[in-house]
Amino acid sequence: MTKKIFTGIIAVSLIIMLCCTGLIMGVMYDYLGTQIDKELENEANLVATGMEQDGTDYLQRIEKIGSLKSRVTLVDATGSVLYDSQADEQTMENHLEREEIQQALISGEGHAVRESATMASETRYYAMKLADGGVLRVSTSHYSQLGLILDTFGMVVVIAAILIALSAIISHNITKHIVKPINDIDLNDPDIPENYEEMAPLLHRIRQQNLKIYRQMENLRSRQEEFNIITQNMREGLLIIDSNLEVLTWNRSALRILGAQAENGAVKAQAASAVSKVSAGNVLSLNRSEPFRRAVEESLAGESSKQQMVIGGETYEILASPAFSDGKVTGAILILMNVTERELGEQLRREFTSNVSHELKTPLTSIYGVSDMLASGLVKPEDVNQFAETIKEESSRLISLIDDIIQLSRLDENYIKKEKEDVDLYLIARDVLDRLRSKARQADVTLELLGGSTMISGVDYILDEIVYNLCENGVKYNRPGGKVTVTVDTERGACVLRVADTGIGIPKEDLDRVFERFYRVDKSHNRQVPGTGLGLSIVKHGVAFHGGTISLESNEGVGTTVTVRFEKQSNEDCNK
């Protein structure tokens, strides 16, 4: 036992001595490096000042008179060495990749330290950017940490020997002082161990207990890490509260959704992890809306709750579940999910279903009414043809509506069987205008095609439908003596289709809605204009299918211009 204590004291003394020696030498080395850096910076400033007056002649002059204490190198903005006080600049390599040169070019000055190949010395560099864009670098060599150790090794050994001797003497006396009470222990006293062998069972039990605690802590730490990994990647917000409405645990998504922040520096530091603890934070201070408060109250009452609330234009669904312990509610878990897209999809689905039902019901009702009159014999023989024409027109309208719905559904689902190929948009526009000339003459509208051959990669019948719907609208919503001008050309590397008319125009409040399904601007006027109300919606989806963009400009009573841009999809121009 005496030997163990003595050896331990000697070892501790030796370790402390080595640590102190290392710390002292480290402090000396850092101090020496700092002083050298200051000297290099001062010398560089002096040289730079001289160069402002005499240029590189100043460097050569002070080199001749031996005024340079350090090595001076002048580098231009490209890294080429213009001057070096200790080497031939013609044989030196480009210095642009040197650390201190790059720092100087970026921030105006740079520092670097590089050890020599012998590992006994190192060179410190200071570089500063000059007014002409070049870099002046000053460097000097001094002992490295290893060199400093080697240089002071003898002195350190002598001091170490003296300290070890003193430690041995002191350790011997301390050991005798520690061992004496143990040697004097009364062997009849069961509470006091006789020696370290007698203490072994107690130490063994302590070790076993510590090992058990360590394993439990490792298990808890592992579970905490798993929980952190799960919540770290959650887009949903997570809040865990106790029965007193205090927030126990939250993740970053929850604070982001609720627009809250950590309350103090300690919590901010923990915010980098996925889950953090919030001290003395009431959950209702994060959000006081009625749905949020109802979800909290119902979950703490022992019932699961599902609520919706709107924050910043986004719709969130709150799923709150109570947490039980021994049959009592001890808290609740709240999950906040962004359901904006789902709600928007549901709204669009409901609107589409309602509109489709209405649009399909109108022609079917007309067909049923006319057919019922024919079947009942209420129609005069001379009026049969007129009623039959009505059935034909309404049936044609119904078929067109169903075809448009099917086409729109295919575009929605990107279900296009035909592969894209090179298509001349100009030829498609010309063919469309030829098909519309008869309808244009009846409406007293002039058709004009401008531009030239413009090739794009696309599906011909979808592009045809885009052009046809735009041109047909230009004819239908025009005025007698009006004009529809179609331009197919290339602008800034993009293929552009522009359809301009001199028609009735669109009110400003309706510009953002004309591409909605079944939306028609003037219901009273458009009741007289045939159409399904899906044309512009098909145009919008067709353009999106081809990766294009569509914009609309309109002045009420002046006319409308629709511009479709198909961005270039290859290195070749749109025009071929």
Side-chain angles (χ1 to χ4, degrees):
M1 180 177 177
T2 303
K3 183 178 179 181
K4 289 182 179 180
I5 296 175
F6 179 83
T7 304
I9 295 175
I10 290 292
V12 170
S13 301
L14 183 59
I15 291 172
I16 293 175
M17 180 191 67
L18 293 175
C19 291
C20 291
T21 302
L23 289 173
I24 293 172
M25 295 186 70
V27 171
M28 290 175 60
Y29 173 80
D30 290 339
Y31 177 78
L32 178 62
T34 302
Q35 292 299 114
I36 292 174
D37 287 340
K38 290 181 178 179
E39 292 177 4
L40 290 176
E41 185 173 351
N42 292 334
E43 187 170 359
N45 288 323
L46 291 174
V47 174
T49 303
M51 288 182 63
E52 290 179 356
Q53 300 176 358
D54 300 331
T56 56
D57 293 337
Y58 176 77
L59 295 175
Q60 295 174 355
R61 187 167 64 253
I62 62 175
E63 179 182 0
K64 289 180 181 181
I65 64 176
S67 298
L68 291 175
K69 298 180 180 179
S70 306
R71 180 178 180 179
V72 177
T73 306
L74 181 61
V75 180
D76 64 13
T78 63
S80 299
V81 179
L82 304 177
Y83 171 82
D84 190 277
S85 62
Q86 297 182 8
D88 184 5
E89 57 269 13
Q90 300 295 331
T91 61
M92 297 179 69
E93 61 182 2
N94 190 285
H95 280 41
L96 188 61
E97 297 299 323
R98 301 297 173 88
E99 178 183 0
E100 67 278 3
I101 300 296
Q102 291 184 354
Q103 292 179 8
L105 289 174
I106 295 173
S107 60
E109 63 176 4
H111 293 271
V113 180
R114 289 192 282 275
E115 291 186 353
S116 67
T118 62
M119 298 298 290
S121 65
E122 62 183 18
T123 303
R124 306 184 79 91
Y125 298 88
Y126 173 77
M128 64 181 296
K129 188 176 182 181
L130 300 177
D132 60 356
V135 176
L136 177 66
R137 186 185 71 178
V138 182
S139 61
T140 187
S141 298
H142 69 99
Y143 280 121
S144 65
Q145 291 184 353
L146 178 60
L148 187 61
I149 293 173
L150 294 176
D151 189 63
T152 58
F153 182 76
M155 180 176 60
V156 171
V157 170
V158 173
I159 296 174
I162 296 174
L163 292 177
I164 290 174
L166 290 175
S167 298
I169 296 172
I170 297 173
S171 299
H172 178 71
N173 293 330
I174 292 176
T175 302
K176 289 176 61 178
H177 181 73
I178 294 174
V179 172
K180 188 178 182 301
I182 300 177
N183 292 332
D184 295 338
I185 290 177
D186 186 4
L187 298 178
N188 295 323
D189 187 354
D191 296 330
I192 300 177
E194 180 180 358
N195 50 41
Y196 284 107
E197 286 75 14
E198 296 288 339
M199 296 174 64
L202 175 61
L203 295 176
H204 178 71
R205 286 194 297 271
I206 294 176
R207 290 193 191 97
Q208 292 295 324
Q209 189 67 25
N210 289 338
L211 181 60
K212 182 178 179 181
I213 294 174
Y214 174 78
R215 288 173 178 172
Q216 291 176 345
M217 292 298 296
E218 283 296 312
N219 187 28
L220 292 174
R221 189 178 297 109
S222 176
R223 292 184 179 181
Q224 181 67 24
E225 289 177 356
E226 292 176 1
F227 183 69
N228 288 346
I229 291 173
I230 294 173
T231 55
Q232 186 177 15
N233 298 296
M234 285 178 58
R235 296 179 58 186
E236 297 80 8
L238 171 67
L239 291 171
I240 300 179
I241 62 176
D242 62 15
S243 57
N244 297 320
L245 302 180
E246 296 295 320
V247 179
L248 302 178
T249 303
W250 46 263
N251 66 354
R252 288 191 298 261
S253 295
L255 293 189
R256 175 181 54 79
I257 292 171
L258 297 174
Q261 294 181 352
E263 296 178 356
N264 52 57
V267 175
K268 285 182 180 178
Q270 297 176 0
S273 63
V275 179
S276 302
K277 297 291 183 179
V278 177
S279 58
N282 190 293
V283 67
L284 295 181
S285 65
L286 300 178
N287 189 280
R288 298 184 180 276
S289 64
E290 177 63 25
F292 188 81
R293 187 169 62 252
R294 189 183 305 118
V296 171
E297 293 174 352
E298 290 180 358
S299 60
L300 292 180
E303 299 179 359
S304 297
S305 179
K306 182 178 180 181
Q307 306 291 333
Q308 279 193 0
M309 65 178 180
V310 178
I311 302 177
E314 300 285 326
T315 303
Y316 292 91
E317 188 171 78
I318 309 171
L319 300 178
S321 300
F324 294 94
S325 179
D326 297 330
K328 296 181 179 180
V329 177
T330 57
I333 301 172
L334 282 72
I335 302 293
L336 289 79
M337 298 188 299
N338 191 326
V339 294
T340 305
E341 292 185 3
R342 188 187 74 186
E343 289 299 311
L344 181 60
E346 286 294 321
Q347 180 181 352
L348 291 175
R349 183 188 61 79
R350 289 191 296 267
E351 290 180 357
F352 182 71
T353 302
S354 175
N355 289 330
V356 167
S357 300
H358 174 74
E359 294 294 333
L360 290 176
K361 185 177 180 180
T362 301
L364 286 175
T365 302
S366 178
I367 293 171
Y368 177 81
V370 173
S371 302
D372 184 60
M373 292 177 66
L374 289 172
S376 302
L378 299 177
V379 180
K380 298 178 181 180
E382 59 271 19
D383 295 331
V384 170
N385 289 336
Q386 181 180 352
F387 278 79
E389 185 66 25
T390 300
I391 294 176
K392 178 181 177 182
E393 290 177 357
E394 294 298 329
S395 299
S396 176
R397 178 185 173 189
L398 186 60
I399 292 172
S400 297
L401 179 61
I402 293 173
D403 287 341
D404 285 348
I405 293 173
I406 292 174
Q407 178 66 8
L408 193 57
S409 299
R410 288 175 177 173
L411 290 172
D412 273 341
E413 299 174 4
N414 204 22
Y415 181 70
I416 306 299
K417 293 182 178 180
K418 190 172 183 180
E419 297 292 333
K420 291 182 179 180
E421 58 186 1
D422 289 340
V423 181
D424 192 336
L425 193 60
Y426 183 84
L427 294 180
I428 289 180
R430 187 177 66 183
D431 180 64
V432 167
L433 293 184
D434 289 341
R435 301 202 310 266
L436 285 172
R437 292 200 185 278
S438 175
K439 185 178 294 186
R441 281 194 298 268
Q442 295 177 6
D444 192 16
V445 174
T446 303
L447 302 179
E448 182 182 17
L449 176 62
L450 302 177
S453 177
T454 304
M455 303 296 293
I456 69 169
S457 177
V459 179
D460 53 1
Y461 73 87
I462 297 179
L463 293 170
D464 182 273
E465 194 159 3
I466 292 172
V467 179
Y468 188 89
N469 280 321
L470 293 177
C471 294
E472 186 185 34
N473 282 346
V475 173
K476 287 195 301 185
Y477 298 106
N478 218 311
R479 62 186 68 199
K483 186 177 182 181
V484 175
T485 303
V486 181
T487 305
V488 181
D489 206 347
T490 302
E491 295 180 3
R492 297 189 297 274
C495 304
V496 177
L497 167 69
R498 185 173 289 106
V499 180
D501 65 63
T502 59
I504 61 177
I506 302 172
K508 290 184 178 180
E509 61 271 16
D510 294 312
L511 287 176
D512 294 334
R513 301 195 61 190
V514 292
F515 292 103
E516 294 181 10
R517 301 171 186 183
F518 298 110
Y519 185 80
R520 310 187 79 181
V521 178
D522 187 351
K523 302 299 188 297
S524 61
H525 173 75
N526 288 325
R527 196 174 291 118
Q528 309 300 325
V529 180
T532 63
L534 294 174
L536 287 180
S537 183
I538 292 175
V539 169
K540 176 183 176 182
H541 285 73
V543 171
F545 174 80
H546 287 86
T549 59
I550 186 169
S551 60
L552 186 146
E553 297 178 3
S554 183
N555 291 317
E556 198 169 3
V558 177
T560 302
T561 300
V562 181
T563 302
V564 179
R565 294 177 60 88
F566 298 102
E567 296 298 331
K568 191 168 55 174
Q569 299 179 358
S570 66
N571 294 327
E572 301 178 0
D573 198 342
C574 291
N575 291 331
K576 295 187 178 179

